[in-house]
């Protein structure tokens, strides 16, 4: 069973860069079937897909965040990462790393709350 | 970006009764529509993909229908564990987008 676990700071100052890492266990991140993504959920609100990375290294980002987002993968560590620059309070949310196939999310990390505040 | 609109925002139903949740897309998504269930403090769980195909381990009381822009999730006889928030998600276009959710509560 594939499991995902997010790690990173829970508090980020405005204008700084949010950095999170997701460690994948129970399977190889290089499996051709999946792609790896970040999804966020502000408190009491819906889910927003931030971006995805394929095992080839190809990335796609949500146009609303594209100028600020970078997703990368480290296959040697079975990890993928998110960087979101120039954060504001609007970026406060629970951030999930997920594994998806054919557009649907099969595996979710437990989620990590990131608060943007000085 | 395709906007997904779910209705109603909150649905109150008694255990044992049928619940019908709706999801509308701002443009056609064909059958590329998924439903998820999220309970408080838990991560979402995939229920339905391809508009009508139940995910592994999902009980038969959950069924999905629709195509194009109009979709429905039906829970035929509500069990206590079914009271949760339900999200629809289109994956026809990138980025996949979610509805705002329908909270299914006990009447």
């Amino acid at each position: 069973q594939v499991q995902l676990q997010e790690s990173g700071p829970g508090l980020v100052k405005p204008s700084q860069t949010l950095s999170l890492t997701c460690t994948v266990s129970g399977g190889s991140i290089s499996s051709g079937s999946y792609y790896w993504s970040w999804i966020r959920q502000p408190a009491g609100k819906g889910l927003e897909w931030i971006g995805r990375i394929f095992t080839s290294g190809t990335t796609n980002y949500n146009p609303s965040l594209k100028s600020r987002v970078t997703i990368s993968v480290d296959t040697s560590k079975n990890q993928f990462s998110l960087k979101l620059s120039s954060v504001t309070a609007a970026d406060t949310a629970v951030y999930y790393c997920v594994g998806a196939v054919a557009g649907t999310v099969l595996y979710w990390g437990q989620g990590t709350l990131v608060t943007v505040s000085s | 970006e395709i906007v997904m609109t779910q209705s109603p925002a909150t649905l109150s139903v008694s255990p044992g009764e049928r619940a019908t949740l709706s999801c509308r897309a701002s443009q056609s998504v064909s059958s590329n529509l998924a439903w998820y269930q999220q309970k408080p403090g838990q991560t979402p769980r995939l229920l339905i993909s391809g508009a009508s195909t139940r995910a592994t381990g999902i009980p038969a009381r959950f069924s999905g229908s629709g195509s194009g822009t109009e979709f429905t999730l039906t829970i035929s006889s509500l069990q206590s564990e079914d009271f949760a928030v339900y999200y629809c998600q289109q994956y026809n276009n990138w980025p996949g987008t979610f509805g705002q959710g329908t909270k299914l509560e006990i009447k």
Side-chain angles (χ1 to χ4, degrees):
Chain A
Q1 176 71 2
V2 174
Q3 294 184 315
L4 295 84
Q5 177 67 58
E6 305 89 352
S7 59
L11 181 63
V12 181
K13 289 182 167 52
S15 80
Q16 294 192 342
T17 296
L18 179 160
S19 296
L20 296 174
T21 296
C22 182
T23 300
V24 180
S25 59
S28 171
I29 201 169
S30 299
S31 169
S33 300
Y34 301 113
Y35 58 85
W36 308 97
S37 296
W38 291 93
I39 290 174
R40 69 182 183 179
Q41 185 174 33
K45 297 187 178 181
L47 298 151
E48 180 181 35
W49 212 308
I50 299 169
R52 63 184 178 184
I53 187 164
F54 293 84
T55 54
S56 63
T58 299
T59 53
N60 299 109
Y61 301 130
N62 190 316
S64 68
L65 299 168
K66 185 176 182 179
S67 63
R68 301 194 289 130
V69 175
T70 302
I71 295 176
S72 59
V73 64
D74 185 337
T75 55
S76 67
K77 294 182 178 179
N78 233 32
Q79 295 177 334
F80 63 103
S81 299
L82 168 70
K83 291 188 184 299
L84 180 65
S85 64
S86 304
V87 297
T88 69
D91 295 309
T92 295
V94 174
Y95 285 75
Y96 296 102
C97 61
V98 305
V101 61
T104 59
V105 179
L106 296 183
Y107 304 112
W108 298 76
Q110 66 182 26
T112 186
L113 174 62
V114 178
T115 301
V116 179
S117 176
S118 55
Chain B
E1 178 176 296
I2 296 177
V3 177
M4 306 302 292
T5 303
Q6 291 186 242
S7 61
T10 303
L11 182 62
S12 299
V13 183
S14 300
E17 293 188 341
R18 174 189 296 258
T20 302
L21 290 68
S22 297
C23 175
R24 173 177 293 178
S26 60
Q27 64 188 76
S28 177
V29 298
S30 187
S31 294
N32 297 312
L33 190 285
W35 290 93
Y36 300 84
Q37 176 194 67
Q38 186 176 30
K39 297 180 181 179
Q42 296 186 17
T43 61
R45 175 176 71 147
L46 179 66
L47 299 175
I48 301 280
S49 63
S52 61
T53 303
R54 282 190 303 277
T56 302
I58 302 303
R61 65 180 181 272
F62 291 89
S63 63
S65 63
S67 66
T69 62
E70 301 284 343
F71 301 89
T72 300
L73 174 69
T74 301
I75 310 170
S76 60
S77 178
L78 280 165
Q79 306 297 303
S80 58
E81 62 265 29
D82 299 335
F83 292 95
V85 178
Y86 291 83
Y87 294 97
C88 62
Q89 177 233 332
Q90 68 80 21
Y91 51 95
N92 194 64
N93 290 14
W94 173 257
T97 47
F98 295 84
Q100 288 301 300
T102 290
K103 181 179 181 180
L104 182 57
E105 63 178 27
I106 300 174
K107 186 174 183 180

